[in-house]
Amino acid sequence: MDFELSDTQRSVVDALDTLLARHAGVERCRTAAAGQGYDHALERELRGSGFFDSFTEESIGPLGATLAVERIGAHLGTVAATAHLLVLPALGLDSLEGPVALVLDGDTRPLRFAAEAATVLTAGADRCTLTRPAPSAAAALPSAYGYSLGRVTSGAGEDLAPGTAATMINWWRIGVSAEAVGMMQKALDIAIRYAKDRRTFGRAIGSFQALQHRMAELTILIEGARWLTYEAAFHGAPGEASATAAAHTMAALPTVTRETHQILGAIGLTREHDLHLYTLRLQALRTELGGLRRHRRAVVAARWGEGAS
C-alpha cells in the first residue's frame, strides 16, 4: 500500500463513532426492526455534523468518506451512506435529502431503500439518470435483512453527463464493500469475544487451535477486503481496483457469515443475539451491482477488455 491514513481522517472517524454511539447501534436497530424503515433522524445528525461533506473536504477526501461509510455500516446505521457520502459527491451532485436508491439499468431485483426512495439514481450504459419518484407502498417487499427492500417505481428522469455511469458504479462498489467490511469486522469481534468467554473442558474454546485457525482466516479475509477498499478509494475509484475490492469482499462475506455462526453455535442463530443483526444485513449487500459474478467479470473486463472470458 502506498498511502496511510492521516491524523485528520482518524479524528473524523473517532468523532463519527461518538455520534453513532448515540444515534445508531444494536439497540436502535432492534427498536426499528419491526418497520425497518429509513432512519431520517440519523441522516439529519450526520448531515448537520458535516459528514456528508467529507468527500469534498481536502483534509478528509474520498478515503475519509469511505472510512465513514465503513463506520456507519459497523454501527448498523440505516441510511443510504454509500449514496450520500460517495456516489453523489463523486458525480458532483448537490446534497439530496432522504433515501437514495442506487440501481443498475434493467436490474429488477429488490433493492435497499427503493420503496421509500426520495431519489433514484440509475446507471445506464454510459450515463446516469436521476429520478425523483413518488414513494409507493405497493413497491415495498417483505424483508428479513435489516433493510427495507423494494422495487423502483418508474418515472421521468434527468440524464447526467456521459461517463457518469462508470463513476457511479465504481464508487458504489467501494461503498458497498466498505459497509460490508464494517459489518464483517463486528461479526468477527462478536465471535472472538464469545470464544474468549465460552468455556468447555475447563478452558475457553478460543484456546483450541482449530478455532484459532478459523478466526485467523477470517481476520485475513476481512483485512484484505478493508485495504483493497481503502486503496481503491485513495486512488479515486479506478474501475479495476474498485471491482477487485468488491469481488474480494463479496467472496469473503459468505465465509465470514458461516464461520462466525459456527463459532457461536446455536446461540448465534437466535433472534435475541446480536450476531444476526450484522450477518442478515450482509446478505442484502451480496446481490447489489449484480453480485459476485458481475464484480469478477468487471475485474476481467478492466484488465483484458470486454471480450475477455
Side-chain angles (χ1 to χ4, degrees):
M1 301 295 176
D2 55 0
F3 68 94
E4 61 181 25
L5 304 180
S6 69
D7 292 339
T8 301
Q9 290 165 336
R10 293 182 188 278
S11 65
V12 167
V13 171
D14 290 342
L16 178 58
D17 277 334
T18 301
L19 183 151
L20 292 169
R22 296 196 304 266
H23 300 285
V26 168
E27 293 308 316
R28 187 181 183 92
C29 184
R30 287 187 185 281
T31 302
Q36 296 178 341
Y38 191 83
D39 196 337
H40 292 275
L42 175 58
E43 182 184 312
R44 287 193 294 271
E45 292 292 337
L46 292 168
R47 188 184 302 279
S49 300
F51 288 105
F52 282 12
D53 301 322
S54 57
F55 189 99
T56 53
E57 288 287 339
E58 185 176 352
S59 60
I60 304 172
L63 177 57
T66 301
L67 291 168
V69 171
E70 178 190 334
R71 301 312 302 157
I72 292 170
H75 285 269
L76 300 172
T78 312
V79 294
T82 292
H84 283 298
L85 274 76
L86 297 177
V87 174
L88 294 177
L91 294 173
L93 296 174
D94 294 335
S95 180
L96 303 170
E97 293 189 5
V100 178
L102 303 178
V103 187
L104 291 176
D105 190 29
D107 190 351
T108 60
R109 284 174 290 191
L111 300 167
R112 289 188 295 164
F113 313 126
E116 53 192 337
T119 306
V120 174
L121 193 59
T122 304
D126 182 51
R127 65 180 71 206
C128 296
T129 302
L130 188 67
T131 310
R132 292 180 173 84
S136 171
L141 299 171
S143 170
Y145 296 107
Y147 295 108
S148 62
L149 297 179
R151 302 191 189 279
V152 174
T153 56
S154 59
E158 170 193 353
D159 288 338
L160 304 184
T164 49
T167 299
M168 169 184 164
I169 289 171
N170 292 341
W171 281 110
W172 185 1
R173 284 195 167 109
I174 290 174
V176 76
S177 298
E179 289 185 74
V181 166
M183 294 179 208
M184 289 194 295
Q185 184 63 61
K186 281 291 188 179
L188 178 58
D189 291 344
I190 291 171
I192 291 173
R193 186 166 62 249
Y194 180 83
K196 290 179 178 179
D197 294 340
R198 178 74 168 90
R199 299 182 68 81
T200 186
F201 301 112
R203 57 194 286 194
I205 64 172
S207 66
F208 293 104
Q209 194 174 59
L211 282 186
Q212 291 176 356
H213 288 169
R214 295 166 81 168
M215 289 185 283
E217 178 188 5
L218 297 183
T219 300
I220 291 169
L221 288 174
I222 295 170
E223 285 302 300
R226 186 193 317 280
W227 289 100
L228 284 170
T229 301
Y230 290 177
E231 185 170 43
F234 178 78
H235 289 293
E240 183 178 349
S242 302
T244 299
H248 177 86
T249 303
M250 296 308 147
L253 190 155
T255 302
V256 172
T257 300
R258 182 184 66 250
E259 293 294 336
T260 52
H261 279 282
Q262 284 281 326
I263 291 168
L264 267 74
I267 188 64
L269 298 173
T270 58
R271 298 291 293 182
E272 63 267 23
H273 201 277
D274 293 347
L275 180 60
H276 81 281
L277 297 175
Y278 299 95
T279 56
L280 283 177
R281 286 193 173 209
L282 285 171
Q283 309 319 306
L285 303 184
R286 289 179 67 179
T287 62
E288 291 200 8
L289 287 143
L292 176 58
R293 180 175 296 181
R294 188 154 185 166
H295 297 314
R296 286 175 169 170
R297 286 179 174 174
V299 175
V300 173
R303 175 61 65 92
W304 292 288
E306 292 290 344
S309 62

